Amino acid sequence: MSKSNGSRRHGKLALVAAIAIGSLAALVPGQAATAVEAVPDGYNKINSVDAVPAATAGKKGPDHVLFWERAMLQATREAGGIAGPITRGGALLNIAVYDTVNSIHPVGSPYLSRSRELYGRYGALDPAIDYAAYTALKEAFPTVNLEDDLAAALALPTSATNRDKELGKAQGTKIANALIAHRADDGSADTTPYTPVMSPGHWRPTTPGVAAGGPNWGKVKPWVISAGDKYRPAKPGGFETPEALLSSDLYADQLNEVKSLGAADSTVRTADQTQIARFWANDVNGSYKPTGQQYDHTLVVLQKYKPNASSFYTAKLFGILSVALADAAISAWDTKWNTGFDLWRPQSAVREAANDYNDNTIGDPGWQPTSKDANGVHFSPPFPAYQSGHSTFGATWAGIMKNWFGTDTMPYEGTTDDPNARGVTRHVSSFSAAAAENAISRLYNGVHFRFDTVAGVAGGQKISADVWNARPLG
């Protein structure tokens, strides 16, 4: 992907109008697939994602779905930012692609729309994916140059004829624009500022000049679950106020635990625990971020266990995964910001322990978390600790993967994009083991209390089950 500033796009793309009746049949997610005008009989038959259509048996070239997953990871590196907008971009990409390939060969229900013109046009598969993906990602990452990605995708070996290419371009673009219009008023553009409450227990900035991250993201309209606060956990320890929590034995125990295990200069954290902290971090701009690691590990699993999967298979998997992760971000950020209990990070807690209502904690004004950027500067993420986003994403991913593959145990060698751990691999024995290690890594990084991670894992498990059982893609 080119990083040339000269061809970067700036500013939001104009939101498009609804798709014309006759080209697409718009659907509300979860409703039965009923078209506004007659569609071919084949739309009434849902085919297995494991069955590659005979018409694609001689298809040339790689899976374009996977090409665009990797392009999204690179766009994330270039754009940076917090998890919410990144997960929204992943959902825009993958639902646009899913609705496109599902129009050609139904492997489920449409999430939003389908194209009559694409039905049975297998030759148009690759260009349709390319233009759906490009259009969605351009909306999601407006500052990133995606022209080179589109050109590279279109240059891949393909069986598409010129007629297929024109059809794929028109319909893939149209499907993506329908989704963009559908999400136009989802609340993701809310920039209402947040004013910190500067009393013990409440979140406050830990890095000068870095604003609160996504204080309104918990109000974004979910993709599948019924409401962002549906899985809001009890407040930390069951305490109704920060004052009650901070004066408790539970708080003292958990603060002292992270103070010891999560300190930059910890003498009790093992070398393996430090590697775990670095491996699962991916917090800094320039990395593919925490949810990027979930996408990357999905690619690793597919390469090992399903190297010849069709675009119909991969599009549906990433479609389901993407909306689950997007809803996980909304749910976690609702808990972080919308409960009146915006819990401070351990960095603030340790440094301010002299004022925390608890005689069993001792302050250390110079304490720093293990977490650090590529320049070695230690930091805490710019949003409240409870609940842990990493833990929520990891458990959500694990639940979707377990349900998709029908088993929790699919060992693989996982990779990372964190600047302090690039080149490191870790053996992952199961999806749930990955989620558990991801969660505990936040304690080793010194950026979360243990109850943050427990709440995140529980929330992610509920979200993945909800999304899976809702069958948003049939």
Side-chain angles (χ1 to χ4, degrees), residues 147-170:
E147 308 300 325
D148 292 345
D149 295 279
L150 178 61
L154 294 174
L156 292 172
T158 181
S159 303
T161 65
N162 287 337
R163 184 184 177 195
D164 291 331
K165 293 175 182 177
E166 290 302 314
L167 177 65
K169 177 180 180 179

Side-chain angles (χ1 to χ4, degrees), residues 301-344:
V301 171
L302 285 170
Q303 178 59 39
K304 179 173 182 178
Y305 292 102
K306 287 282 189 178
N308 299 314
S310 72
S311 295
F312 303 95
Y313 183 99
T314 57
K316 189 169 184 178
L317 169 57
F318 281 109
I320 295 171
L321 177 62
S322 70
V323 291
L325 291 174
D327 278 357
I330 294 167
S331 181
W333 261 248
D334 166 77
T335 301
K336 289 178 183 292
W337 292 111
N338 297 342
T339 66
F341 208 122
D342 51 345
L343 186 65
W344 60 9

Side-chain angles (χ1 to χ4, degrees), residues 31-255:
Q31 285 189 339
T34 56
V36 293
E37 68 175 63
V39 295
D41 290 339
Y43 271 130
N44 297 321
K45 180 181 180 182
I46 304 301
N47 295 280
S48 168
V49 291
D50 287 305
V52 179
T56 67
K59 177 183 176 297
K60 297 179 181 178
D63 180 0
H64 286 227
V65 175
L66 304 187
F67 174 94
W68 286 102
E69 299 306 324
R70 296 185 176 98
M72 180 187 67
L73 295 183
Q74 181 58 25
T76 299
R77 295 184 184 101
E78 294 187 34
I82 64 169
I86 292 170
T87 59
R88 182 179 185 269
L92 285 174
L93 164 67
N94 285 294
I95 293 303
V97 168
Y98 167 77
D99 273 356
T100 297
V101 302
N102 193 58
S103 295
I104 295 172
H105 178 82
V107 290
S109 303
Y111 177 88
L112 178 68
S113 57
R114 63 188 176 194
S115 165
R116 294 181 65 247
E117 286 85 345
L118 281 176
Y119 178 70
R121 296 294 296 274
Y122 297 105
L125 177 66
D126 291 341
I129 291 172
D130 294 338
Y131 280 98
Y134 167 74
T135 304
L137 282 183
K138 192 167 59 169
E139 161 67 17
F141 300 102
T143 64
V144 175
N145 169 33
L146 294 159
E147 308 300 325
D148 292 345
D149 295 279
L150 178 61
L154 294 174
L156 292 172
T158 181
S159 303
T161 65
N162 287 337
R163 184 184 177 195
D164 291 331
K165 293 175 182 177
E166 290 302 314
L167 177 65
K169 177 180 180 179
Q171 297 303 310
T173 301
K174 191 174 287 189
I175 288 172
N177 279 335
L179 183 63
I180 292 167
H182 177 69
R183 296 295 302 188
D185 299 318
D186 62 3
S188 60
D190 186 350
T191 58
T192 304
Y194 178 81
T195 302
V197 178
M198 300 302 289
S199 58
H202 289 278
W203 180 85
R204 73 282 311 280
T206 54
T207 303
V210 177
N216 308 301
W217 202 263
K219 302 173 186 176
V220 171
K221 178 182 177 182
W223 291 76
V224 178
I225 65 175
S226 58
D229 62 358
K230 182 176 182 179
Y231 297 114
R232 185 185 289 178
K235 293 175 181 178
F239 296 97
E240 288 301 313
T241 66
E243 293 81 0
L245 171 65
L246 268 58
S247 61
S248 70
D249 290 340
L250 172 68
Y251 177 77
D253 290 344
Q254 296 216 4
L255 175 61

Side-chain angles (χ1 to χ4, degrees), residues 119-471:
Y119 178 70
R121 296 294 296 274
Y122 297 105
L125 177 66
D126 291 341
I129 291 172
D130 294 338
Y131 280 98
Y134 167 74
T135 304
L137 282 183
K138 192 167 59 169
E139 161 67 17
F141 300 102
T143 64
V144 175
N145 169 33
L146 294 159
E147 308 300 325
D148 292 345
D149 295 279
L150 178 61
L154 294 174
L156 292 172
T158 181
S159 303
T161 65
N162 287 337
R163 184 184 177 195
D164 291 331
K165 293 175 182 177
E166 290 302 314
L167 177 65
K169 177 180 180 179
Q171 297 303 310
T173 301
K174 191 174 287 189
I175 288 172
N177 279 335
L179 183 63
I180 292 167
H182 177 69
R183 296 295 302 188
D185 299 318
D186 62 3
S188 60
D190 186 350
T191 58
T192 304
Y194 178 81
T195 302
V197 178
M198 300 302 289
S199 58
H202 289 278
W203 180 85
R204 73 282 311 280
T206 54
T207 303
V210 177
N216 308 301
W217 202 263
K219 302 173 186 176
V220 171
K221 178 182 177 182
W223 291 76
V224 178
I225 65 175
S226 58
D229 62 358
K230 182 176 182 179
Y231 297 114
R232 185 185 289 178
K235 293 175 181 178
F239 296 97
E240 288 301 313
T241 66
E243 293 81 0
L245 171 65
L246 268 58
S247 61
S248 70
D249 290 340
L250 172 68
Y251 177 77
D253 290 344
Q254 296 216 4
L255 175 61
N256 289 328
E257 179 183 41
V258 69
K259 180 182 178 182
S260 175
L261 272 175
D265 58 356
S266 175
T267 59
V268 299
R269 188 178 60 247
T270 68
D272 188 58
Q273 289 170 336
T274 300
Q275 186 184 91
I276 289 171
R278 306 279 188 237
F279 181 85
W280 294 102
N282 299 291
D283 281 304
V284 299
N285 289 341
S287 73
Y288 53 32
K289 295 300 180 106
T291 53
Q293 191 164 37
Q294 308 307 318
Y295 279 103
D296 181 61
H297 283 207
T298 306
L299 290 168
V300 171
V301 171
L302 285 170
Q303 178 59 39
K304 179 173 182 178
Y305 292 102
K306 287 282 189 178
N308 299 314
S310 72
S311 295
F312 303 95
Y313 183 99
T314 57
K316 189 169 184 178
L317 169 57
F318 281 109
I320 295 171
L321 177 62
S322 70
V323 291
L325 291 174
D327 278 357
I330 294 167
S331 181
W333 261 248
D334 166 77
T335 301
K336 289 178 183 292
W337 292 111
N338 297 342
T339 66
F341 208 122
D342 51 345
L343 186 65
W344 60 9
R345 290 280 176 172
Q347 181 175 340
S348 300
V350 174
R351 292 181 179 186
E352 301 291 334
N355 305 309
D356 68 2
Y357 321 117
N358 200 312
D359 293 335
N360 294 319
T361 62
I362 300 173
D364 180 354
W367 188 88
Q368 296 189 98
T370 306
S371 175
K372 64 180 180 179
D373 65 18
N375 297 316
V377 177
H378 296 274
F379 72 97
S380 296
F383 32 81
Y386 189 82
Q387 66 192 58
S388 162
H390 274 69
S391 304
T392 309
F393 298 136
T396 299
W397 172 84
I400 295 298
M401 295 292 279
K402 179 179 178 179
N403 278 302
W404 179 267
F405 288 104
T407 179
D408 185 39
T409 307
M410 295 182 72
Y412 66 94
E413 303 305 312
T415 55
T416 181
D417 206 33
D418 190 89
N420 295 292
R422 286 195 179 114
V424 172
T425 60
R426 289 189 66 82
H427 177 74
V428 178
S429 60
S430 67
F431 301 133
S432 59
E437 192 170 278
N438 187 345
I440 198 64
S441 75
R442 305 311 282 165
L443 177 62
Y444 301 151
N445 263 307
V447 295
H448 278 289
F449 304 96
R450 186 176 289 271
F451 46 55
D452 302 336
T453 67
V454 171
V457 169
Q461 290 171 339
K462 292 173 183 176
I463 291 162
S464 64
D466 191 338
V467 171
W468 185 261
N469 292 330
R471 297 291 188 190

